[in-house]
Amino acid sequence: MTDTSNYQLHRMVLINAGSNMHVPSGRITAVDPRGGAAVLGENGVGKTTTLRILPLFFGHLPSQIVASGHGQEPMIRFVIPTDASAIAFEYQRGSDREEDRRLAVIRRRADDHDAPFYRIYRCGLRQELFVDEGRFLSDEETQLKANGLGIVTTSKLNPAEYRSVILRTPAASKDKARLRAYSLDFSFGPRALDNLDRIVAAMVKKHISFVDIVQVAVGMVQHDLGQGGGRAKLTFKQGRGPTRP
C-alpha cells in the first residue's frame, strides 16, 4: 500500500519574484510549510501575497485568489514581473528518495503577462536551473539546462491541464492520454484529489464563502457516491433557521 504521508510539499520558492516596489527581487526566497511557517516582515512587504501563492500549486486560478481591480494588480503580473521570474514548488511523492522529488514551476506567458503557464520537472529544487553566473534564466534557457542535465520535464501546461495532472483528475483536454501519463509521474497524490485546490484557497482567503465550502463538501460526497452520476445526485439546501453546533 502506498504511504500517502510521503506526498508532501517541501518548499515554495519565489525566484526573482516581484516586490512591493514593482521590481524583481533579484533573489531566490524559499518557504518550507512543513510543520507550519512564519512569514514575517513590515506592512507592505508582501506577506499576504506570499500566503496566497500557495493555492497555485494545487491548480487554483490566480484570478480566483486575488481579483484584479479595486487598486489591485493581477496576481501573475505582480508576482512574476519578468520572463526570468518564476514560482516553484518542490514536493515529494511516494517515498523519501531523492528520485521521487518533483518541481512544479509557474511562469508568465509571453503573449499575456497576466496568464500563467506551468512545467513540472522530475527533480527537486536545483538552483542552476534558474540562475547562471548571477543571471536569472528564462523558461527556454531553463529547458536547455534541464535537457543538458538529463532532467525529464513536461511540456508547457495551461492552468486546466496542470490542475488535471497535479490533482490527478479527469482531463477535459483532447490530449487526455498525455495528461494521464503525466499524472502517473507527477501528481501530488496516488489518487484523485478533487477540490483540494478550493479547500486550500479557502484557508488563505481573508473572507471564506459558506457557499464555496458547501460546494466543496457536495463535490467530495458525490465523488464518494460514484463520481456524481445521475443516481448519486445530491443537493444541499440552506434553510432560514439559525445554524447550531
Side-chain angles (χ1 to χ4, degrees):
M1 180 178 294
T2 302
D3 183 1
T4 57
S5 66
N6 285 328
Y7 285 81
Q8 57 179 305
L9 180 61
H10 280 193
R11 286 184 282 186
M12 178 177 71
V13 187
L14 306 181
I15 300 164
N16 196 31
S19 71
N20 63 329
M21 301 300 293
H22 302 280
V23 294
S25 66
R27 61 188 179 191
I28 295 177
T29 304
V31 177
D32 186 341
R34 291 171 292 178
V39 181
L40 306 176
E42 298 177 358
N43 290 339
V45 299
K47 298 188 299 295
T48 300
T49 299
T50 299
L51 292 174
R52 289 182 176 182
I53 290 170
L54 186 59
L56 298 182
F57 169 64
F58 301 97
H60 208 66
L61 292 175
S63 60
Q64 295 175 326
I65 301 169
V66 178
S68 58
H70 305 291
Q72 296 190 90
E73 286 186 271
M75 188 178 201
I76 294 300
R77 182 183 292 268
F78 180 80
V79 181
I80 309 178
T82 75
D83 291 340
S85 303
I87 304 167
F89 297 93
E90 181 190 58
Y91 60 104
Q92 196 78 28
R93 58 183 321 275
S95 81
D96 292 328
R97 297 192 304 269
E98 182 71 27
E99 57 264 35
D100 282 330
R101 290 192 181 183
R102 301 291 185 269
L103 190 70
V105 178
I106 308 173
R107 295 185 186 263
R108 71 180 193 182
R109 280 175 44 179
D111 60 341
D112 184 352
H113 293 174
D114 295 333
F117 71 87
Y118 307 73
R119 287 191 196 270
I120 311 178
Y121 296 75
R122 192 188 288 167
C123 66
L125 178 66
R126 298 182 62 164
Q127 186 167 313
E128 64 266 34
L129 290 175
F130 303 99
V131 182
D132 184 25
E133 297 183 350
R135 184 177 63 86
F136 287 93
L137 305 179
S138 67
D139 172 69
E140 290 77 11
E141 292 171 318
T142 293
Q143 282 301 104
L144 288 174
K145 282 271 190 176
N147 292 340
L149 294 168
I151 298 171
V152 174
T153 75
T154 67
S155 59
K156 287 184 180 181
L157 302 171
N158 65 37
E161 292 171 334
Y162 172 77
R163 184 182 185 278
S164 174
V165 171
I166 203 71
L167 298 185
R168 206 168 185 153
T169 56
S173 168
K174 294 180 180 179
D175 203 357
K176 294 180 181 179
R178 176 176 63 96
L179 297 178
R180 192 180 305 115
Y182 281 162
S183 290
L184 294 175
D185 197 17
F186 297 107
S187 67
F188 186 58
R191 61 184 66 87
L193 300 170
D194 301 74
N195 294 310
L196 181 58
D197 60 317
R198 296 174 64 182
I199 294 172
V200 175
M203 292 170 61
V204 302
K205 287 181 180 178
K206 287 184 178 180
H207 304 288
I208 298 176
S209 167
F210 179 74
V211 173
D212 283 346
I213 294 175
V214 169
Q215 288 177 342
V216 169
V218 170
M220 293 173 69
V221 172
Q222 286 183 331
H223 184 271
D224 289 343
L225 291 176
Q227 304 298 326
R231 296 182 61 185
K233 190 173 183 180
L234 182 65
T235 302
F236 277 41
K237 292 184 179 180
Q238 183 178 356
R240 294 185 178 180
T243 302
R244 295 186 175 88

